[in-house]
Each structure stands twice: as C-alpha cells, then as structure tokens.
Amino acid sequence: MKWQGRRQSDNVEDRRSISGGKIAVGGGVIGIIILLLNVFGGENAKLITPVLEQMQGGQTQTEAAAPLSKADEEMGDFVRVVLADNEDIWGKIFAEHGMTYKNPKLVLFRGSVQTSCGGASSASGPFYCPADQKVYMDLGFFEELKTKFGAKGGDFAIAYVIAHEVGHHIQTLLGTSAKMHQDQEGKSQAEANKLSVALELQADFYAGVWAHYNQQNLDEGDIEEALSAANAVGDDAIQSKMQGQIVPDSFTHGTSEQRMYWFKKGFKTGDIKQGTTFEEI
C-alpha cells in the first residue's frame, strides 16, 4: 500500500511503550481459544474472554514497558495513515447520505489494555469497543495470523483488519449493532450466532467499500493480502485447524468463503446499500 508521506490521523493513541501488564506465557490451549473467540471484532466474545483469562491464572507474567524501535514507530505511522484514509472516505460517504461521521479512536497496545468494555490481553486479537468507540490492536497479532493461520501477511492485511474494525464503528453509528443485540434476545444460540455472523460479514463488506474508494493508494497484491487474511480466519478454517471438525451452528464470524465474498462485494460495488448480510445469511 502506498502510504509514505501521506496524511496521518490524530486519533491514534499509542500505548505500546506504557501498556504491558499480565500476558500469557506460551499461550497454551486456553490462550488460543481466547484468540479465536475474539479475532476480528467478535463483540459477544468479550463476555467469555475474562473467564478464560482467569483460568489461565498461573500462566501469566508481567511484561515490562519497552521503548519503541524504529520499526515500531514506522508501523505506528502506517496505522495512522490507514485510519486517516478511513476518516476521509467514511466522512465523505456519510455526508453523501445526509449523515455526519464521527471518527473513532484507535489504541495501539502491548500485552494488555483496559477499555470501557473491560480488560483485554493481546490474546484477544484486534477488537472494537462500542462503549468508548475505540479500536484496540496489539500489532503482534499479525505475526500470529501468518504463522498459526496461514495468512500471507503484508501491510494491507493490517489495513484490512483496521477497516473491518472501523466497520463495527459504522454499525454502532448506524444503530445496526444495537438492533442486532436486541434481535438476539430470546433466540436460540444457533439463531443468535447467525445474527453475529451477519454483523461480522457486514463489517467485512464495509472494509471492501473502504478499499474500493482507496484504490489509488493500493499496490499490486494488496487485495490478495486482504483476502488471504479473511480466508485464514473463517470459522470453518479455524475449526478445522483447531478441532478437526466443523460445527456450522457455532459459527459467529462466517466461513472463509463468506468473508471473502462480502469483502469482494464491497470492493467491487462501493455501495453501502448492498451490505445486506442480515437479509442474506
């Protein structure tokens, strides 16, 4: 992605040199479960993660704060540019539809972080907290995405995840998230999970819309990096890799095919009205 020398957002809080706290030693099975529950913004998983982290108990140690390296600083600059692109593009799209876009903040951290949705560790993966309208990311997640889940990696994989989390912010602004949670009440677990899948796929769609309007800054292979990341974290791919069997009723984020399909649909159309995942899932 072409990003050097471009506008950077002022809405990034870089806590990487001051966060830290307790982190998992070696991860273990519980650590992997936490990661899979939370990967790519699963809001419902925030209720389960604290319990699992307590179960990790003795598997944690304190991580000391560390100064940022030159590579860390460069990655922070990249994140600021990607967030700025989201601000510019979504601000314009909202204005075209007679609405006002409110910029979210993005928090970079290491180890652990406190949010208005509760505490979270690096094992949680990137997530969006609607209570404070902030995206939280430990950039170490992307190495996990490559080494454990087979994604290609690359800077646009990071850009895609940021755009996906901003998609959850858009759903908060539009009232989609609140309506989904209301609709989940009284439903069976399988039915509630389908609504969660629709929410996640719509965030993938919004990430594709963002990429559609940012094509002038894309390099060859960027879209393939995004699709590789989407493919790696499909519920079916994760379940097959981690437990050797696929249980569709337990899906909360969508299959690899669905995640790639909705990202591509957003990228091809650039039309937010076509993100009709709740009607089609």
Side-chain angles (χ1 to χ4, degrees), residues 24 26-42 44-56 59 121-126 141 144 148-149 233 235 238-239 241-244 250 252-253:
V29 174
I30 293 177
I32 293 173
I33 292 172
I34 292 172
L35 175 64
L36 300 188
L37 279 171
N38 289 285
V39 71
F40 279 49
N44 294 334
K46 298 301 172 291
L47 300 175
I48 304 172
T49 298
V51 177
L52 292 172
E53 288 176 337
Q54 285 183 1
M55 291 172 64
Q56 279 185 308
Q59 300 181 45
S121 74
S122 300
S124 298
F141 164 79
E144 297 276 317
K148 289 187 177 176
F149 304 110
V233 293
D235 284 321
I238 289 172
Q239 288 187 359
K241 182 182 292 288
M242 302 308 301
Q243 62 191 38
S250 68
T252 57
H253 290 69

Side-chain angles (χ1 to χ4, degrees), residues 123-138:
S124 298
F127 64 94
Y128 171 76
C129 173
D132 56 24
Q133 298 190 4
K134 293 181 179 181
V135 173
Y136 292 86
M137 299 180 69
D138 184 327

Side-chain angles (χ1 to χ4, degrees), residues 42-89:
E43 294 179 16
N44 294 334
K46 298 301 172 291
L47 300 175
I48 304 172
T49 298
V51 177
L52 292 172
E53 288 176 337
Q54 285 183 1
M55 291 172 64
Q56 279 185 308
Q59 300 181 45
T60 60
Q61 67 181 19
T62 299
E63 179 187 39
L68 298 181
S69 66
K70 184 176 180 180
D72 289 333
E73 292 177 351
E74 184 174 90
M75 186 55 65
D77 290 341
F78 171 74
V79 168
R80 291 182 181 90
V81 171
V82 173
L83 189 62
D85 284 345
N86 276 272
E87 292 169 350
D88 295 341
I89 289 169

Side-chain angles (χ1 to χ4, degrees), residues 103-148:
N103 294 330
K105 290 189 179 295
L106 190 153
V107 178
L108 294 174
F109 71 96
R110 281 177 175 153
S112 64
V113 67
Q114 287 297 320
T115 81
S116 295
C117 297
S121 74
S122 300
S124 298
F127 64 94
Y128 171 76
C129 173
D132 56 24
Q133 298 190 4
K134 293 181 179 181
V135 173
Y136 292 86
M137 299 180 69
D138 184 327
L139 294 173
F141 164 79
F142 295 97
E143 189 61 29
E144 297 276 317
L145 197 64
K146 232 180 3 178
T147 59
K148 289 187 177 176

